[in-house]
Structures are given as structure tokens and as C-alpha cells.
Amino acid sequence: MASADEFAAMFYGEPGVLGLLANGISAFLVLLQNFNGAQTGVPSQGVEHILAGVQLILIGGVTQLLAGLLSFRKYDHLSGTSFIAFAALWGSYGSTRIVLGAFPPSINSTNTTDQLYPANSTFRNTELATPPIGQSAIAGLIAYISVSFILAFCSATVNYIMPFVFGAITLTLIFEAVGLVGGWALVVSGVLELVILMCGLYGAAALLLKGVTQRYILKGFGNPLFDVLLLGKANNSNSQKLGEEKKKNTQYAEPMALGYLCDTISPFIFAFFCFGYLPSFFVGTIWVTINAFSQLFSSYYAYLRKDVYHTTKFCLHSTYWLVKSWEEFVLSVLIDREGVVSGRERMVGDWFFLATAIVLCLMSLNMDVLEVAHNLLFLLLTVSTISQIPLGGYYIFFGVICSLFTALSLYGTFARLINSIGEKTLIPVGVQPLSTEKLQDVLGLIKRCWVKPQDLPRSTVTQLPDALFYVTNGIAALSAIHSQDVHPTFLHLTIPWVLIPGAIIQVYVSRLGIQKGRRFGPIIPSCYAAIWATWTWYRFAGVLLGISTDFAGGFTAGAVAFLVLNGFLMLIGAYVNVVLLLLTLVMEVIVVCFLLSTLGRLPYQLEIAMLAIFSLICLYGTLASLANSIFRKELLPLGPPLLKATQEKADKTPPPPPCSIATSRKTSGLLSISKLLDAGGVCGVPTDTVYALAASCKHPQAIEKIYNIKDRPQEKPICICISNLEQLSTAKPPFSPLLWEFMRNVYPGGISCIVKKGEWLNKLGVGPAYDRVGTKESIMIRVPDHTVTAHLCNMTGPLAITSANPSGEPDSTHHDMVITRLGHKISGVLCDGESNEAVGSTVVNCLKIDEGTITIIREGCFPAAQVRHIFEKVKNSME
């Protein structure tokens, strides 16, 4: 029986429980409203809509978002993508209910206008003050219908509970959309919502019992409706590359499908608006905003997977949808159409989106046709929204491109998700247009004029989101350019263009800097976010609010503080590279201009020149940082640091290392560590997961040392590590054919199998340590998929290993961590750089495998669902 703590932990271990419950309860809330309206003949109004909306946001939105985030951390592609997508759906639908309760259709539009905007206000659209809630909701629901259908189809390749839940959601969305026009459809929708509730409750119960008992009690999970491999033939040319990439990124699920999914929703809603179906973008802004923030999670998990390209791409797309949605909100709700033309034509911020889109197109040429086509259509999107295009053709052009972008993003969602689930290229995505070598040659032309490309240090490549930092600042700076004779419409439109990328998204960039713990990582983005937020408040919103220079004393003091603060940032830039130093220098002049504006003495020409130069530096910084980070070579120069940290005097002897240090790249390193192990020492060694402490099975006393070094409880057994499965077969253990076949399918890899002990261990070479490894009846076996570890086992014989960390502390993912934490207690460390994984192996109990059952003791880098899928496949093939 599980304890109370273990029961609560099931929600973390099985986030599908939260996701299915959130969908079921949310559907139940809508069902109650639909049936109540059908029975009484009186639709819900006012407070009822507001309360229902708040509940949908909290349960269907926030709770399901948590389930999606946990699913991404469990390497569950389908659940992570689906739960975040449906969290955005329920959050948007709940927000629509709140708006419907706040602006009931019965209220006269003129009265609503007077409530929203004073009678003497210049900026109010009296025709569109009452938001077109029904039309906007229909646009959003139709957008999610196609997406939920794709998710329902893909879920059939994983289990046969989610297809019913997601399929019922698809049909519900159809009838909810129809119900906004004809009330009869809401009854049918209520019946389907009941199906969602029942299937969701059953699925949640099945997963909860599975989490508690570590085996499937209720049917529905563990077996798909059909095998994903039936959808296509794997592309051999891409499968190897895909497999190599996955080995290093199995800690988090792939976020590409989520990014494409969000790129399906936003342009679809914009297309409805551009073709005149929505007279106002009031409610559409809410749907697009929630969807855009969901897309930030795809950027975030791409960053955790060290995927610099998708981190930048999806964050850029999210920023674009946010800016455009709030721009249309201003145009369609806050201002009169008469002043639109004169205000729009002065805006130039979209040109930076255009330039960045070109950079992404260039960076994707060595990927696949789908990625290149997606970037080209996004490039056309940025072209279609250039503010200098006459309004007569603007919306038609934008609407057509949004329609094409929606169609391609929908296909991309399906292809990326199926290929992620199958871990093979099953759905065609096209060939590689340009080889990586040729693309590097093109990008390295500038660099080659000075020096030969050098490999960058790992920390400068993956730990700091430099490209996003330059993108957000570049958009904000270019959007802030304006002349002295500024039109009020321009002020309204510029607020989202500067505030969203410069402040809001840059806070997200700062968060990424904190994530990897890089020194100074979040400091500059955080400070510049504050500068752009203050700039927007005073220079744009301040004019609209009537803040004159006579009452700008606080902003003057703030500008002086920013000047001093940016002086320190310039010092940081001097320690990083020339481009960052130049950026901080120009920002210092920009802040001086801001200070002069608070005093009424602003030289506009100087400010325009500095903002333009700042944007150009940001554009080059984006290109160089993205190219260098993707290819891990200094293809485009950023310049050396002008200042370097003070080094210790040359004549001062550095302290000796606490233990013997050897490199895995040299045979002599392997020989030195093997000698230490043969002599009875304990050493830190790399594996295919995290670093481990190893001791030779020839020396039981060395295994005892491991317990003392780690402060490991004696009741926790230690496993053995061998080089390959052939080494095990020579010992002739009495394993069943099912166990042998299962091992052949999972070894070598990040899995540890628990099997019965026996005399065969003596033949394997474990003899002297028989009583010190495993338990009295069982032993855990590891066959790492790591060349260095395999060679070491061949040299020393079987090794007793356990993770190289003090008991209860996080695993060691770099040899420096082993040296720092345990170097003074062990004999040596075999240095191999950063580990491939951040967590240990997945432990599988195979003691009852002949009864048709395996148990996941601990889920590590190898997904538990995939282990069960392999076992079921092997078991069925043996029958």
C-alpha cells in the first residue's frame, strides 16, 4: 500500500492524471451550463459566465498546463504537446466567457462605449466598442478543431483512452461553434462533454492505479490502437542523425510539434479577421495572446534541450503574434479608422522582424524542406505586415499568407509529432537543401578574412540565449524611432511594439539566463527590460496620459540611475565580446537621450541615429550568435573580450588536483584509470547517462569504500557494469528466451535490468564481490551505450558502479562536479566532459518477466512508456 506521500507523488510521476482530470472537469462545467440553458430556456448571463470562465481558466488552463510541463520532463511528446494545447484552449474559452459576462449582448453598444471611453476621448471606436464575442469564439474554436483532430489521431499510436478523450473534444468544439449560432447544437455538445468526462475519469483512474501499483490494472494504456510505424517507412538517411540527436536530449520531450501547433492557431484567427469575418479583434487578441504564451513553452523546452535554433524561432514567432494581436486590438478597438493611415505609415519595427526572418531562413538551409518552407512563409508574413503597405491591400495580403501559413503549420504539427513518437522520419519532411559543410562555408566567409574558424568553448555556445537577447532589443529599438512631430495614433500603436519585445519577452530571456546558472547571464536582459518599460511608459503612454516635462522628475531620476547602471553593464560587455560592448555603449547614448527628453531638450536626430545603430548591432549580433551557437564554431566574429579576469601570477604553483586526473580521449588515460581500479581504488568514470563511481569486482573492499565515499545506506544495492551482452552470454546464465530477447532490444542503453543471482556470476568474473553487489537474490546489470565505459570494462572486467554523487544530492553531469564533490575521497577521475544525460538509467525489474510482467522501479533517461512498448512488442513476437 502506498503512503500518503507516495500517493501525492503519483501526480508528478503520472501527469496524465492531472491532464485527463482537467479536461473532464472543464467539459463538465460547460456541460452544466449547456444543459441548464436547454432545460430552462434561459441562457447563462453575467456572473454565471464570469464564474464559469474563472473555473475553466484555473482547472482546464492552469492545472492542465502543469500536466503538460510535467509531461515534457517525462519525455512524453504527445501528452506534453496535447495538454499545453488544450490548456490554451480552455484558458481562451474561459476568458471568452468572462468577456461575455462583462459585455452581455443585451447592452446597447453606445452605452458600452461611454462606459469604456469618456465622451471627450479622441481615441474610441464607437462602432466596435462592444466586442463581437460570438464571431471571435467561432474563429478560435474552428482553429482548435483541426488541431485537436490531429492530436486525437496521433494519440491512437500511443494508447486507446486519449483518442476517445481528444476525439470527443474535437466533436465538442464543432458543436460548441455551431451552438454560438444555433442553440440546439449545445445539447449535442453537452452529450459529448459527458463522454469527455467519463473517459477522462476512467483514464485518470487507470493512470493513478498504474502509478501506485507500478503495473496496469485497468486496460487502456500500454498498448496503442495501431502501431505508429504503419504510418510510413523510415527514412534511413535521416534516422541515424535523428537517433544521435535523441541520445543527448532524452531528458525533455521534443517541443517542435507544440511550436508548429501554436503557429496553426494564431494565423487562423488572424485570417478570419483579415477577411472581414471579425469586425473587431477584441476577443481575438485574448485567444492569440494565450496561444502565443503557450508557444513560449516550446521555446523554453527547446532551450533546455540545448536547441538554440528552435529556442530562437519559436520565441520570435510568439513575439510576432503578441505584437500583431495587440496592434490590431489598438486599431480595431481603441482608435478611429480615420487616424490609422497617418499613424501606421511611420512605424518601422516590422522591418526587424523581416530581417530576422531572413536570418532564420538562412540558418535552416541545412535542415529539411518543411523547416525551410515554414521559414519562407513566415518571411512572407513579415513582408505582408509592413506598415507602409496601403490598407487597401494590406489585409488581403496578410489574410492570404496567414491561410497558407496555417495549412503548412498544421502539416508540420502532424509530421513533427508522429516522427517524435515513432523516433523515426515516418511522415515526409523533405531532404536537406544544403549540406552543413556548405552552409558553414557560406557563413564563414567573413570570419575567414581574419582567422581560421575555431571551436567555441561549450559554455559560450549553449548556456546563454544571446540571439534572443539581440532580437528583442533590436525590435524594441527600431520600433521606438519617431520624429518630433508624432501622431497620437502612432503613440498608441508603438506601445505594444516596444513594450512586448523590449520588456515582457526580455524578462523571459532573462529567465533563460538564470536557468543555466551562467554568471552575468540574466543581468543585462533584466536591466534593459526595465529601460524599455520605462521608455514606453514615459515617451509613448506618458504623452497620451498628459505627463509633461514639468512632472517628469521621477523619470529624470530614473534616467540618471539607468546611466550609472549601464556603465556597469558596459564593463560586463568588455569582459564578454566587442559586439556586446558596442551595444552597451550605444545604449548609454540612448539613455542620455531619454534623460534629455525628460528635461525637454531631446535632440531627435541623435536619438534616431542611435536607435538605428543599436538595431543594426542587434541584427548582426542575432546572426552571429545564432550561427556560432548552432554550429559550435566561430563562423562570424563577435570580437574578443577587451578585458580579462585577473590571472594568478605565473610563478605561483597551482594547487595539485585532489586525485589522479585522466582524459578519456587518450589510451594512456584509460590505462591509468584501469590500473587504479585493478589496484583496489575507486574512480569516477563517464557512462551513457551520468558520471558513476566504479570499483573492480576483484576487490570487494573497494566496493565497501563506495558506500563510505557516498554515505550510501547499506541496504541500497550496487549494480554491475559490463561491456556488452556477449560478455554476459559467455557466463551462460539460466535466462529465459523472453528475457534474452528483451535484453537484446534494450542493451546497450540507459536501462538497468534486475535479474536473479546465480553461480553464473562467478563465470562472469564477479566472484569475489558476489556478496557485495545486488541483494541476496537479485543483481542489477548495466550495459552502457558508451565506448569509453565499454573499453574500460574490457580492460578491468565487470565493474561495480553507482552514481557519482553524495547520497541524496543531484547526479554529476560533468567531470568537474565529480572532482569538486568527491575528488578528495577517490583515487581518480576519467574526464569526458559533459554527460549525455542529466539523470541516471531507468531501472527495470525483470524477476517476473516469465510471468509476462516487468516493473519500472525508477524512470530515468529512458522513457518508461517506451520500455513497456518494447517489452510488449518482444512478448508478442515470442508468442
Side-chain angles (χ1 to χ4, degrees):
M1 187 72 179
S3 66
D5 291 339
E6 291 172 337
F7 184 81
M10 291 306 107
F11 290 99
Y12 182 86
E14 296 294 341
V17 176
L18 283 177
L20 292 173
L21 284 177
N23 279 307
I25 296 173
S26 298
F28 182 67
L29 292 172
V30 180
L31 176 152
L32 292 178
Q33 279 199 328
N34 289 342
F35 280 174
N36 180 68
Q39 183 178 5
T40 61
V42 179
S44 301
Q45 295 181 357
V47 177
E48 294 177 347
H49 277 308
I50 294 175
L51 291 177
V54 171
Q55 291 172 333
L56 287 176
I57 292 174
L58 293 177
I59 299 174
V62 176
T63 304
Q64 192 163 197
L65 175 62
L66 176 61
L69 299 180
L70 293 177
S71 296
F72 265 107
R73 293 182 177 274
K74 284 177 61 64
Y75 198 65
D76 189 341
H77 310 293
L78 174 69
S79 297
T81 302
S82 302
F83 291 150
I84 292 182
F86 287 132
L89 167 63
W90 290 116
S92 301
Y93 200 45
S95 300
T96 304
R97 295 270 178 161
I98 293 175
V99 174
L100 187 61
F103 301 100
S106 59
I107 294 181
N108 182 272
S109 63
T110 303
N111 294 336
T112 306
T113 303
D114 293 336
Q115 293 173 11
L116 288 173
Y117 314 106
N120 59 353
S121 175
T122 305
F123 303 99
R124 64 176 195 159
N125 192 335
T126 56
E127 180 183 356
L128 303 175
T130 300
I133 301 172
Q135 299 98 310
S136 300
I138 290 174
L141 291 174
I142 294 176
Y144 276 100
I145 287 172
S146 57
V147 166
S148 60
F149 175 77
I150 293 294
L151 295 177
F153 181 83
C154 293
S155 65
T157 66
V158 178
N159 56 67
Y160 54 89
I161 293 297
M162 286 184 175
F164 287 100
V165 176
F166 297 166
I169 291 177
T170 304
L171 295 175
T172 298
L173 295 178
I174 295 175
F175 286 99
E176 283 287 330
V178 175
L180 293 173
V181 180
W184 62 270
L186 295 179
V187 178
V188 182
S189 176
V191 175
L192 292 169
E193 285 153 358
L194 185 61
V195 175
I196 298 173
L197 174 64
M198 300 304 295
C199 292
L201 289 175
Y202 176 84
L207 287 177
L208 192 61
L209 288 173
K210 177 257 178 182
V212 173
T213 63
Q214 289 297 307
R215 62 191 182 94
Y216 291 112
I217 303 296
L218 299 177
K219 294 183 178 180
F221 292 92
N223 294 310
L225 283 176
F226 64 90
D227 194 342
V228 68
L229 298 179
L230 297 176
L231 293 175
K233 185 178 180 180
N235 189 330
N236 294 328
S237 62
N238 292 335
S239 60
Q240 183 179 1
K241 178 182 177 181
L242 184 65
E244 290 173 356
E245 191 270 341
K246 284 178 182 300
K247 273 187 186 180
K248 299 182 180 180
N249 293 284
T250 53
Q251 185 184 4
Y252 304 102
E254 293 180 354
M256 284 75 82
L258 177 61
Y260 274 84
L261 186 149
C262 295
D263 275 335
T264 303
I265 303 298
S266 296
F268 190 93
I269 298 174
F270 268 108
F272 260 66
F273 175 71
C274 291
F275 292 138
Y277 184 77
L278 306 179
S280 168
F281 211 64
F282 189 108
V283 179
T285 300
I286 298 175
W287 284 73
V288 174
T289 298
I290 293 176
N291 180 70
F293 277 111
S294 299
Q295 195 166 26
L296 279 181
F297 288 109
S298 62
S299 170
Y300 177 69
Y301 280 105
Y303 181 73
L304 293 182
R305 289 168 54 85
K306 301 178 183 178
D307 185 349
V308 182
Y309 168 79
H310 285 104
T311 302
T312 306
K313 174 184 175 178
F314 292 139
C315 184
L316 177 70
H317 288 199
S318 174
T319 306
Y320 179 80
W321 298 124
L322 282 171
V323 169
K324 295 306 297 182
S325 64
W326 284 98
E327 179 188 10
E328 293 300 338
F329 173 82
V330 171
L331 289 172
S332 62
V333 178
L334 295 183
I335 63 177
D336 286 322
R337 289 289 179 181
E338 297 178 358
V340 169
V341 177
S342 58
R344 283 185 72 256
E345 64 185 11
R346 307 183 186 191
M347 300 181 63
V348 293
D350 195 77
W351 289 97
F352 198 91
F353 274 118
L354 174 61
T356 310
I358 294 174
V359 171
L360 285 179
C361 288
L362 181 63
M363 291 298 107
S364 62
L365 288 177
N366 69 323
M367 297 182 183
D368 52 57
V369 173
L370 174 61
E371 194 66 32
V372 175
H374 198 249
N375 285 331
L376 286 174
L377 276 182
F378 182 74
L379 174 61
L380 285 178
L381 270 178
T382 61
V383 172
S384 68
T385 54
I386 291 175
S387 300
Q388 286 70 38
I389 296 178
L391 280 178
Y394 172 86
Y395 285 108
I396 296 176
F397 188 15
F398 187 33
V400 170
I401 301 301
C402 280
S403 302
L404 295 175
F405 194 69
T406 298
L408 185 62
S409 297
L410 186 63
Y411 178 80
T413 302
F414 176 66
R416 298 302 187 200
L417 190 54
I418 287 295
N419 293 343
S420 295
I421 294 173
E423 300 198 346
K424 294 179 180 179
T425 308
L426 301 172
I427 305 301
V429 293
V431 297
Q432 187 182 42
L434 191 67
S435 68
T436 301
E437 292 75 17
K438 289 183 178 179
L439 182 57
Q440 290 186 44
D441 289 339
V442 172
L443 294 173
L445 289 176
I446 301 176
K447 175 70 176 178
R448 207 171 294 121
C449 296
W450 289 281
V451 292
K452 185 178 179 180
Q454 301 290 330
D455 288 339
L456 290 175
R458 184 180 298 268
S459 60
T460 63
V461 172
T462 60
Q463 291 192 5
L464 190 63
D466 294 322
L468 279 182
F469 167 74
Y470 289 117
V471 167
T472 53
N473 282 285
I475 297 171
L478 200 61
S479 302
I481 293 177
H482 67 280
S483 61
Q484 186 172 1
D485 182 20
V486 62
H487 194 279
T489 302
F490 173 85
L491 297 177
H492 275 91
L493 294 175
T494 306
I495 290 175
W497 276 90
V498 178
L499 183 65
I500 291 174
I504 297 175
I505 301 300
Q506 195 153 199
V507 169
Y508 162 73
V509 177
S510 175
R511 174 63 180 86
L512 296 186
I514 296 174
Q515 178 68 32
K516 293 298 182 180
R518 184 178 174 88
R519 187 176 63 172
F520 304 138
I523 294 178
I524 298 181
S526 300
C527 295
Y528 283 7
I531 290 175
W532 290 120
T534 308
W535 184 290
T536 306
W537 180 253
Y538 177 71
R539 295 293 297 277
F540 303 123
V543 176
L544 298 172
L545 296 174
I547 301 177
S548 65
T549 55
D550 296 333
F551 301 96
F555 290 100
T556 303
V560 174
F562 283 141
L563 280 174
V564 176
L565 179 61
N566 194 68
F568 289 102
L569 301 185
M570 290 164 56
L571 186 61
I572 294 176
Y575 276 99
V576 180
N577 55 56
V578 172
V579 172
L580 187 60
L581 176 61
L582 289 176
L583 193 76
T584 54
L585 283 170
V586 177
M587 177 58 84
E588 187 77 359
V589 181
I590 292 174
V591 176
V592 170
C593 292
F594 179 73
L595 173 61
L596 294 175
S597 70
T598 63
L599 301 174
R601 299 179 180 179
L602 173 62
Y604 280 92
Q605 291 77 9
L606 175 63
E607 182 183 78
I608 292 173
M610 289 299 104
L611 288 172
I613 294 173
F614 188 88
S615 300
L616 289 174
I617 294 174
C618 287
L619 180 60
Y620 178 79
T622 301
L623 175 61
S625 298
L626 199 56
N628 296 344
S629 299
I630 290 175
F631 300 110
R632 301 196 177 193
K633 290 182 178 180
E634 196 178 4
L635 297 174
L636 296 175
L638 289 168
L642 300 184
L643 297 178
K644 296 182 179 180
T646 304
Q647 301 290 332
E648 294 185 6
K649 293 182 179 180
D651 56 350
K652 186 176 180 180
T653 304
C659 60
S660 177
I661 304 299
T663 176
S664 64
R665 291 179 172 83
K666 294 183 179 180
T667 304
S668 58
L670 280 172
L671 289 172
S672 63
I673 294 298
S674 66
K675 289 178 181 179
L676 291 174
L677 293 171
D678 289 336
V682 176
C683 297
V685 299
T687 70
D688 55 344
T689 56
V690 295
Y691 276 80
L693 290 181
S696 174
C697 289
K698 303 171 188 175
H699 301 280
Q701 70 279 9
I703 302 175
E704 189 65 34
K705 290 180 184 177
I706 292 180
Y707 283 93
N708 297 329
I709 291 170
K710 289 191 56 169
D711 293 327
R712 183 180 177 89
Q714 291 290 330
E715 62 270 16
K716 287 189 175 183
I718 289 180
C719 72
I720 62 170
C721 174
I722 57 178
S723 60
N724 53 60
L725 205 56
E726 288 71 21
Q727 186 179 2
L728 182 63
S729 61
T730 56
K732 297 181 180 180
F735 294 164
S736 66
L738 178 60
L739 178 55
W740 276 115
E741 189 62 25
F742 178 69
M743 285 183 169
R744 292 189 188 100
N745 277 269
V746 298
Y747 285 151
I751 289 181
S752 301
C753 291
I754 299 177
V755 298
K756 291 182 180 179
K757 262 187 173 182
E759 291 298 322
W760 57 272
L761 284 172
N762 294 322
K763 299 178 182 178
L764 186 64
V766 179
Y770 186 92
D771 296 328
R772 293 305 306 141
V773 293
T775 65
K776 291 183 179 180
E777 300 178 350
S778 63
I779 184 72
M780 185 163 65
I781 301 175
R782 276 274 277 133
V783 184
D785 188 10
H786 198 276
T787 304
V788 172
T789 316
H791 281 313
L792 189 62
C793 290
N794 285 332
M795 298 168 72
T796 63
L799 296 174
I801 65 169
T802 183
S803 57
N805 57 283
S807 185
E809 295 187 13
D811 295 326
S812 296
T813 56
H814 196 280
H815 59 255
D816 287 339
M817 297 178 66
V818 183
I819 296 171
T820 302
R821 301 156 92 186
L822 301 173
H824 59 290
K825 296 182 178 181
I826 59 180
S827 302
V829 175
L830 185 59
C831 300
D832 194 53
E834 190 173 352
S835 63
N836 287 339
E837 302 289 349
V839 292
S841 62
T842 298
V843 180
V844 183
N845 189 338
C846 299
L847 294 176
K848 296 183 178 180
I849 194 171
D850 294 335
E851 301 175 14
T853 302
I854 60 171
T855 303
I856 307 298
I857 302 299
R858 181 191 71 192
E859 184 170 18
C861 64
F862 204 95
Q866 192 172 345
V867 174
R868 295 190 182 94
H869 177 72
I870 293 174
F871 175 67
E872 293 297 330
K873 185 177 179 180
V874 170
K875 185 171 67 173
N876 293 336
S877 66
M878 299 290 290
E879 292 178 354

